[in-house]
Amino acid sequence: SDDEIAFTLCSALLGRVHLSGHIDRMSPAQQQLVADAISVYKRIRPDLAAAVPFWPLGLPGWTDPWVALGMRVPSATYVYVVVWRRGRVGDAAGPAERVDLAEVVLPVAHLRDRQAIPKVLYPVLGAAGSAWSAARGELTATLPRTPSACLIQLELTPGPGGPSVTANR
């Protein structure tokens, strides 16, 4: 599915992209999903060389319904976050994990009181959404289906924290 393609490609966007499989058997729309991912990767790749990773939800557990990885770019005004919505994984999901909400709040404490504009970079078209709260230092990501994933860019803006900014709904 398109969501599975985006989910898989998001797994590589903050590292190294390796394509394999039967891309030639994909529909034109699915091939465009792959092309969009490569285009985004080429655009952000220079930032990743010096970026430092962080895990907004902590290191992921085997059955966690949500997983997130961020990359701080010291020399740029960008922070990148990939968020994956896996949903309930296996029978080992605990009671708290049985509530499968379409939204997750990602603490990004090092940006608390910093104004930022969130933008979903990939997938370009889709239902993914994001919102930033400077006062709380939290990025809210919305992914209505499972499995799904998206790459969000937080562009830091000059000046004090101020009000929350919402984008990509």
Side-chain angles (χ1 to χ4, degrees):
S1 72
D2 292 355
D3 285 330
E4 291 170 322
I5 291 168
F7 186 94
T8 302
L9 288 168
C10 279
S11 298
L13 291 178
L14 295 183
R16 291 182 186 255
V17 174
H18 299 278
L19 298 176
S20 66
H22 296 285
I23 296 172
D24 58 322
R25 294 182 189 170
M26 291 180 168
S27 71
Q30 291 172 330
Q31 289 177 355
Q32 188 60 52
L33 268 174
V34 175
D36 290 346
I38 298 304
S39 176
V40 167
Y41 179 71
K42 286 179 178 179
R43 192 167 72 238
I44 69 171
R45 182 175 46 195
D47 291 337
L48 299 178
V52 179
F54 67 97
W55 290 264
L57 298 174
L59 292 174
W62 193 257
T63 61
D64 289 349
W66 290 88
V67 176
L69 167 65
M71 296 293 272
R72 297 183 213 188
V73 184
S75 63
T77 58
Y78 300 113
V79 171
Y80 299 105
V81 178
V82 171
V83 59
W84 295 267
R85 181 179 178 203
R86 301 187 308 175
R88 237 179 43 203
V89 180
D91 293 333
E97 296 171 338
R98 290 196 179 106
V99 177
D100 194 16
L101 303 175
E103 195 172 89
V104 65
V105 175
L106 307 169
V108 187
H110 68 278
L111 296 182
R112 180 174 289 131
D113 295 326
R114 298 280 312 269
Q115 194 61 267
I117 300 169
K119 180 180 181 186
V120 176
L121 295 182
Y122 182 81
V124 202
L125 299 174
S130 61
W132 173 248
S133 169
R136 293 189 312 270
E138 294 175 342
L139 173 64
T140 301
T142 305
L143 292 168
R145 297 179 300 275
T146 59
S148 58
C150 68
L151 169 63
I152 301 168
Q153 176 188 59
L154 286 170
E155 181 178 2
L156 303 177
T157 60
S164 297
V165 175
T166 301
N168 292 112
R169 271 278 178 187

